[in-house]
Amino acid sequence: MTLRHGRDYHRQVVTIADVARAAGVSPSTVSYVLSGKRPISEEVRRRVQRSIQKLGYHPNAGARALASSRSNVLAVVIPLRTDLNVPVVMQFVAAAVTEARKHDHDVLLLTKDEGPEGLRRVAASSIADALIVMDVEANEPRLPVLRALDRPVVLIGVPDETGGLTCVDLDFTAAGSACVTHLAELGHREIALIGPSPAVYKRGTSYAGRFLRGFRQAASKRKIRASSFPCPPSYDELRTRLDEVFTRHPGVTGLVVHNEAILGSLLSELSRRGKQVPQDISVLAVCPEDMAEAHALPLTSIALPTAELGGLAVEMAMRQLNGGAGQSEVRLLSPKLIDRGSTGPVVA
Amino acid sequence: MTLRHGRDYHRQVVTIADVARAAGVSPSTVSYVLSGKRPISEEVRRRVQRSIQKLGYHPNAGARALASSRSNVLAVVIPLRTDLNVPVVMQFVAAAVTEARKHDHDVLLLTKDEGPEGLRRVAASSIADALIVMDVEANEPRLPVLRALDRPVVLIGVPDETGGLTCVDLDFTAAGSACVTHLAELGHREIALIGPSPAVYKRGTSYAGRFLRGFRQAASKRKIRASSFPCPPSYDELRTRLDEVFTRHPGVTGLVVHNEAILGSLLSELSRRGKQVPQDISVLAVCPEDMAEAHALPLTSIALPTAELGGLAVEMAMRQLNGGAGQSEVRLLSPKLIDRGSTGPVVA
DNA sequence: TTGAAAGCGTTACCAG
DNA sequence: CTGGTAACGCTTTCAA
């Protein structure tokens, strides 16, 4: 290959043939040492390993992908908007990357903005072996494309009709219900939900609706007066919502907060208003555990297990990839409530 | 190919040969139509394009990478810690992804946790054509590895010794200085910097030290009394810092805030203390523009141009890739101050 | 337990 | 302006 520019960035360093030569075996043997797909004598294995080390061999990804029809890359599709809670999204991504590496895969980042054509492109060009899709809507428009993709797909979130796709998520319906139950058992009779941004509902984001449904159903079953206040992520908006809550529903003694972005503001605003938590008002959050713990007053919460969900999504994709395909699966993790002291009994 | 499991996830859909046959040309012609690397008659081009459309052809990424030594993938290395401001990191990533797509590249997400070996792996296996590295430290330990990588590398951030690597960043030294200048010209004589978390300084994160240096130098040159208060991202910590500021330095009339995470808390805490902005105290932020605008009181700020920086990083990587290599480059964007009214003259 | 060799789907050179 | 055809580096049969 010729040297084209000041620096040649296109040089293949070491090939499998180099390793084979150095170890005195055939290329196929090196390949099998690497893949473990057939028995190799200890003697040979060691020689090959040593040559690999010594030469600093790394298999060429393109060649491997071409020959094996496996790219060892996982595509993760994320939203790029800011109305979605960015830190939460990143927790999912981080978990996915970590788990993917355990399966010898890398993660390719796709944005929702690329649309269906992006999904098709990545799948059809065999850039990725499988896809993990986040920010799923109840009436998910990408479903037909995803189903036609001919690759494993795992949704983090559950659309109304899964259409045979694999999904994993927190059981938000149960979570909504669990919130009501917890507060009801503490004697609360009137509660309010500070929910995600109206934009999230409007878009039909899957988890928001499911949570609200569980919340409302449980409330009506238990004869609890429950109201819902979607809240954009800003201090001012939050303050307005609180005004609404306390003027329209002066009897509210418990707040359920399903909105990570305004947790901090909520606590400071409550304290500014002279409301003690939990004496004057109980606060129950739905959020990742670290976010529940990161406040002056640690929050009782239903954990959003981002690490577990991200990891599971990858595992499920891998299982499909390795033959466990066929059965579509919808996996809903049961909500776990952790009492950190921000909820308490109603004081008469 | 045999059908192994319930579903066959390993089928090559359409190849360049199929397209060629359908268009009545040779595979190489199709390839050239796609790459534009040699003149094609309008007639043929159209026929080929039509066949591509009709068959839904997408070039196989592995084959393409193998033949061309180009993966059309850009690796972006990000930190996965939470002490770094996650939304800010994501703004960089988002910009990089967007710009990468314009250059027909996808983005592979690497985490800093993978360490030097991860960088070597990705480069040596030709998974990525180039690397963008974020969260750069002043004494960046990955520098030797990166330089030996034999691929274009762009750092977002500037280590003390660039060692021939290409860097792009906001000129944080100038930014620190500009903050002082702005406040000084408004008549402030004693100011305080609420900085990033101590962990960020301890790690030697490049931008933190550079900003502080500019801040201090400008202050001493102008005979302004300036103090610095690193602050972990929590309401409580912030409150403690503010206590320190106002007890130790009661004469402070201006705050420079170089810490996106506590901006909201700062504003509420100031208002809780009955301090009017900017009448009683001026607040000058260093943060992305949307974050400066997202408050009840929009903040005068030095813009952290995340979108521009992320995009530039990709552009610079592409330029290196396409022959503009050779010259290493350190590109520092000049800080721009935008007055949104949160800073004002000192009232005597 | 190992080796030889046929692909995998593109690119890019060599001819025309 | 176009076609034929070696690579590219690896996996995986087929044979031994």
Side-chain angles (χ1 to χ4, degrees):
Chain A
M1 174 168 281
T2 69
L3 199 72
R4 288 177 229 179
H5 312 298
R7 193 165 169 185
D8 182 5
Y9 282 127
H10 315 278
R11 162 163 37 112
Q12 179 59 34
V13 199
V14 180
T15 75
I16 201 173
D18 299 327
V19 175
R21 212 170 303 125
V25 298
S26 76
S28 56
T29 297
V30 175
S31 175
Y32 284 116
V33 167
L34 251 22
S35 69
K37 288 188 180 173
R38 84 180 180 189
I40 301 281
S41 70
E42 263 316 302
E43 156 69 5
V44 167
R45 178 196 312 288
R46 240 188 294 278
R47 270 196 345 249
V48 170
Q49 299 281 24
R50 278 243 328 278
S51 304
I52 289 177
Q53 292 298 322
K54 200 175 54 194
L55 300 182
Y57 169 70
H58 288 267
N60 179 290
R64 173 172 273 188
L66 181 55
S68 68
S69 304
R70 291 280 207 121
S71 64
N72 279 37
V73 166
L74 220 61
V76 172
V77 190
I78 66 169
L80 235 42
R81 14 179 139 254
T82 40
D83 63 341
L84 231 264
N85 196 283
V86 178
V88 175
V89 172
M90 278 308 290
Q91 293 196 1
F92 282 115
V93 173
V97 171
T98 304
E99 184 68 24
R101 286 305 305 143
K102 292 188 190 155
H103 296 265
D104 196 30
H105 277 242
D106 281 293
V107 165
L108 196 82
L109 208 59
L110 289 185
T111 69
K112 210 179 176 184
D113 309 14
E114 278 225 57
E117 185 47 34
L119 303 175
R120 228 176 271 125
R121 177 179 65 82
V122 165
S125 57
S126 291
I127 289 179
D129 293 334
L131 289 86
I132 311 275
V133 179
M134 300 188 42
D135 192 29
V136 174
E137 300 176 20
N139 192 348
E140 179 56 57
R142 293 169 292 185
L143 240 47
V145 192
L146 288 171
R147 214 174 11 244
L149 235 39
D150 200 38
R151 307 227 169 242
V153 172
V154 176
L155 308 183
I156 299 184
V158 186
D160 291 342
E161 302 283 338
T162 68
L165 286 175
T166 294
C167 307
V168 61
D169 204 353
L170 174 66
D171 187 340
F172 275 99
T173 312
S177 163
C179 288
V180 174
T181 302
H182 176 73
L183 291 173
E185 285 174 351
L186 286 168
H188 297 262
R189 288 295 164 262
E190 180 154 15
I191 64 181
L193 165 66
I194 309 288
S197 177
V200 172
Y201 288 105
K202 204 171 306 159
R203 191 164 76 240
T205 305
S206 133
Y207 72 84
R210 287 183 287 138
F211 184 87
L212 184 55
R213 194 175 321 130
F215 179 80
R216 284 203 172 128
Q217 285 173 352
S220 86
K221 189 166 358 176
R222 289 178 168 268
K223 310 269 194 268
I224 302 284
R225 297 177 58 186
S227 45
S228 159
F229 296 83
C231 181
S234 90
Y235 200 99
D236 275 4
E237 293 286 355
L238 168 69
R239 205 157 40 194
T240 309
R241 292 306 160 282
L242 281 184
D243 288 340
E244 291 174 17
V245 169
F246 293 123
T247 57
R248 293 194 206 157
H249 309 275
V252 164
T253 56
L255 291 179
V256 174
V257 189
H258 186 199
N259 185 329
E260 295 87 359
I262 50 81
L263 278 175
S265 314
L266 176 81
L267 290 179
S268 25
E269 186 58 20
L270 285 178
S271 100
R272 179 191 341 218
R273 292 174 185 221
K275 300 231 179 214
Q276 298 261 343
V277 176
Q279 292 82 349
D280 302 326
I281 191 153
S282 285
V283 174
L284 175 49
V286 183
C287 66
E289 303 203 39
D290 58 332
M291 296 186 185
E293 284 163 356
H295 300 275
L297 179 83
L299 295 171
T300 297
S301 75
I302 299 267
L304 178 53
T306 50
E308 188 177 0
L309 286 169
L312 267 178
V314 172
E315 269 183 24
M316 292 164 87
M318 289 302 164
R319 201 167 319 136
Q320 288 185 57
L321 207 49
N322 299 318
Q327 300 316 329
S328 89
E329 189 182 354
V330 176
R331 198 145 155 198
L332 294 180
L333 303 189
S334 296
K336 301 233 184 315
L337 188 143
I338 296 147
D339 195 327
R340 295 192 180 84
S342 70
T343 54
V346 177
V347 184
Chain B
M1 173 169 282
T2 70
L3 199 71
R4 288 177 229 177
H5 312 295
R7 194 164 169 185
D8 181 6
Y9 283 127
H10 313 279
R11 164 164 35 114
Q12 179 59 34
V13 199
V14 180
T15 75
I16 200 172
D18 298 326
V19 175
R21 212 171 303 127
V25 298
S26 78
S28 55
T29 297
V30 176
S31 176
Y32 284 116
V33 167
L34 252 21
S35 70
K37 288 188 181 173
R38 82 179 183 191
I40 301 281
S41 68
E42 262 317 303
E43 156 69 3
V44 168
R45 178 196 312 287
R46 239 189 293 279
R47 265 191 354 243
V48 170
Q49 298 282 24
R50 277 244 329 279
S51 304
I52 289 177
Q53 292 298 323
K54 200 174 56 196
L55 300 181
Y57 168 71
H58 290 267
N60 178 291
R64 171 171 275 188
L66 181 56
S68 67
S69 305
R70 291 283 206 119
S71 64
N72 278 39
V73 166
L74 221 61
V76 172
V77 190
I78 66 169
L80 234 43
R81 11 180 142 257
T82 39
D83 64 340
L84 232 265
N85 197 283
V86 178
V88 176
V89 172
M90 277 308 290
Q91 293 195 2
F92 283 114
V93 173
V97 171
T98 305
E99 184 67 24
R101 287 303 306 142
K102 291 188 190 154
H103 296 265
D104 197 29
H105 277 242
D106 281 293
V107 166
L108 196 81
L109 208 59
L110 288 185
T111 70
K112 210 180 177 183
D113 308 13
E114 278 226 58
E117 185 46 35
L119 302 175
R120 230 175 270 125
R121 178 179 64 83
V122 165
S125 58
S126 292
I127 290 179
D129 293 334
L131 289 85
I132 311 276
V133 179
M134 300 187 41
D135 192 29
V136 173
E137 300 176 19
N139 193 348
E140 178 57 56
R142 294 169 291 185
L143 239 47
V145 191
L146 288 170
R147 213 173 13 243
L149 236 39
D150 199 39
R151 307 225 170 247
V153 172
V154 177
L155 308 183
I156 299 184
V158 187
D160 291 342
E161 301 284 337
T162 68
L165 286 175
T166 294
C167 307
V168 61
D169 204 353
L170 175 65
D171 187 339
F172 275 100
T173 311
S177 162
C179 289
V180 174
T181 302
H182 177 72
L183 291 172
E185 285 174 352
L186 286 168
H188 298 262
R189 286 295 164 262
E190 181 155 13
I191 64 180
L193 166 64
I194 309 288
S197 177
V200 171
Y201 288 105
K202 203 170 308 159
R203 191 164 75 239
T205 305
S206 134
Y207 71 84
R210 287 183 287 139
F211 184 87
L212 184 55
R213 193 175 321 133
F215 179 79
R216 286 203 171 127
Q217 285 174 352
S220 86
K221 188 167 358 179
R222 288 177 169 267
K223 309 267 192 270
I224 300 285
R225 298 178 57 187
S227 45
S228 159
F229 296 83
C231 181
S234 88
Y235 199 100
D236 276 3
E237 294 285 355
L238 169 69
R239 204 158 41 192
T240 310
R241 293 304 159 283
L242 282 184
D243 288 341
E244 291 174 18
V245 169
F246 292 123
T247 57
R248 292 194 207 158
H249 307 276
V252 164
T253 55
L255 292 178
V256 174
V257 189
H258 186 200
N259 184 329
E260 294 87 358
I262 49 82
L263 278 176
S265 314
L266 176 81
L267 291 179
S268 23
E269 186 58 20
L270 285 178
S271 101
R272 182 197 329 226
R273 293 175 184 221
K275 300 230 178 214
Q276 299 261 345
V277 177
Q279 291 83 349
D280 302 325
I281 191 152
S282 284
V283 174
L284 175 49
V286 183
C287 67
E289 303 204 40
D290 57 335
M291 296 185 185
E293 285 164 355
H295 299 275
L297 180 82
L299 295 171
T300 296
S301 74
I302 300 267
L304 177 54
T306 50
E308 189 176 0
L309 286 170
L312 266 179
V314 171
E315 268 183 25
M316 292 163 85
M318 290 301 163
R319 203 168 319 136
Q320 287 186 58
L321 206 49
N322 299 319
Q327 299 316 326
S328 90
E329 188 181 355
V330 176
R331 197 145 157 199
L332 293 180
L333 303 189
S334 296
K336 302 233 184 317
L337 190 143
I338 296 145
D339 195 328
R340 295 192 181 84
S342 70
T343 54
V346 177
V347 184

